[in-house]
Amino acid sequence: MWCYETLHPDIKLGIKGKSLYKKKTAHQNCQISKTKDFGNVLFLDGAIQTTEADEYIYHEMLVHPLLLTHPKPENVLIVGGGDGGVLRELFKYPIKEAIMVEIDRTVIDLSKKYLPKISKGSFRDNRLGLIIDDGAKYIKETPKKFDIVIVDSPDPVGPANALFSKKFYQGVSKVLKPNGVMIRQTGSVFLQSEILKSNYRRIKKIFPQTFIQLVSIPTYIGGFFSFIIAAKKINFLKAKKSKIKKKYSKLNLKTKYYNPDIQFASLQLPNNLKELVK
Ligand code: SAM
């Protein structure tokens, strides 16, 4: 049996495996497959969201650069993130509160059942405030303020579309405290360059400090996978590596991919992307 990712119109990624679950929720098509090389895999609307084998790269690089560079992260908002990987990494820090706004409870239930090693019980942490709702609506309506916003959304497909708009980013800026930072995934540099470029330009107009972070994630095909880090004040290129290294060892963080050197290396860009950020 083969399971195919159908995110890209003219390219398919096939992974040998069998379907364990397939159902349409009110928001999206959810599928879980058991595969030989990547363990259990979560698909939403045909796009690979996360796999047991390589999820740690994505979740560590979504969390640790921000949590270690922000001087005092206490309140964190996660938009999306239903598989619980971001929560697992986040709760390695002494933060006060993590509000997660996830639109589809089915994703949480499926992830707990078929991908338990990703959340590792983090949904039971008493610092979690879980809200089942549209993240774009929450951002517009909440009076709360956050040090960090992590947008762990799928690609701009279906309900996630609203999480790539100028209005959404203006809302993120509104809910961030004066020294706040946001991070979001912006897809494959090679296969989704338009998503990266348009979102970089949109975010750059709102956040003075905007950076592209590049990571290689095997099941997110198309070369480097990109994140955008957007801060009101913090310049991630000028952050003190010695300070970050000290925090990293003081917290005795256990990470499989992230380390402070990789954090700085991942912000270095090839010429074609240097053009974009000029
Ligand atoms: N690692 C994945 C990626 O890079 O594509 C993202 C993983 S996570 C499973 C994505 C989550 O975002 C899903 O659980 C989905 O239900 C949720 N989501 C999509 N649109 C949303 C919205 N408008 N508000 C809140 N959550 C949303």
Side-chain angles (χ1 to χ4, degrees), residues 18-241:
K18 67 180 171 67
S19 177
L20 297 177
Y21 177 96
K22 206 171 188 167
K23 204 166 144 218
K24 190 166 178 8
T25 71
H27 302 285
Q28 50 208 341
N29 278 304
C30 294
Q31 178 181 338
I32 299 265
S33 300
K34 181 177 183 48
T35 73
K36 208 164 72 45
D37 292 342
F38 290 95
N40 283 356
V41 178
L42 168 66
F43 293 81
L44 291 178
D45 290 337
I48 289 178
Q49 298 299 304
T50 197
T51 87
E52 282 181 312
D54 66 2
E55 58 79 20
Y56 65 94
I57 307 171
Y58 172 84
H59 292 122
E60 289 182 14
M61 289 306 282
L62 206 51
V63 172
H64 297 290
L66 271 63
L67 272 288
L68 286 169
T69 309
H70 188 288
K72 203 166 182 300
E74 294 180 331
N75 306 81
V76 180
L77 170 64
I78 305 123
V79 176
D83 52 52
V86 165
L87 287 180
R88 179 195 72 219
E89 293 305 310
L90 203 50
F91 288 139
K92 291 177 179 174
Y93 292 83
I95 58 168
K96 281 198 178 131
E97 176 190 49
I99 300 282
M100 172 182 271
V101 185
E102 161 56 62
I103 201 165
D104 197 338
R105 176 174 291 284
T106 308
V107 177
I108 296 174
D109 297 343
L110 284 179
S111 301
K112 283 182 188 171
K113 182 173 178 204
Y114 293 106
L115 298 156
K117 284 184 263 178
I118 294 186
S119 55
K120 267 203 182 127
S122 54
F123 284 107
R124 290 194 300 275
D125 192 300
N126 59 20
R127 290 170 289 177
L128 172 61
L130 178 59
I131 298 170
I132 302 299
D133 202 352
D134 174 359
K137 178 167 159 284
Y138 177 85
I139 282 274
K140 210 167 61 194
E141 296 169 356
T142 183
K144 284 179 79 79
K145 296 290 178 194
F146 298 92
D147 299 300
I148 288 177
V149 174
I150 297 175
V151 185
D152 182 13
S153 83
D155 302 275
V157 172
N161 241 329
L163 308 179
F164 288 80
S165 69
K166 180 176 156 210
K167 225 166 96 201
F168 176 71
Y169 296 135
Q170 286 167 333
V172 170
S173 179
K174 173 185 70 77
V175 306
L176 278 172
K177 294 177 192 172
N179 199 20
V181 193
M182 171 192 78
I183 188 168
R184 72 135 324 120
Q185 67 94 345
T186 39
S188 149
V189 173
F190 199 80
L191 295 178
Q192 298 169 294
S193 57
E194 264 328 296
I195 295 176
L196 171 56
K197 284 185 190 144
S198 57
N199 282 277
Y200 179 83
R201 291 196 184 104
R202 221 166 278 157
I203 293 168
K204 181 74 186 147
K205 285 196 182 115
I206 302 165
F207 289 89
Q209 302 289 357
T210 300
F211 308 91
I212 296 174
Q213 175 179 272
L214 300 178
V215 188
S216 169
I217 302 172
T219 51
Y220 295 169
I221 57 170
F224 271 125
F225 189 78
S226 65
F227 297 83
I228 289 180
I229 294 174
K232 290 188 168 179
K233 285 191 191 148
I234 301 173
N235 181 335
F236 273 67
L237 287 171
K238 296 214 171 82
K240 283 244 167 309
K241 195 194 290 190

Side-chain angles (χ1 to χ4, degrees), residues 11 13 48 54 71 257 276:
I11 299 173
L13 167 65
I48 289 178
D54 66 2
Y257 183 88
L276 169 68

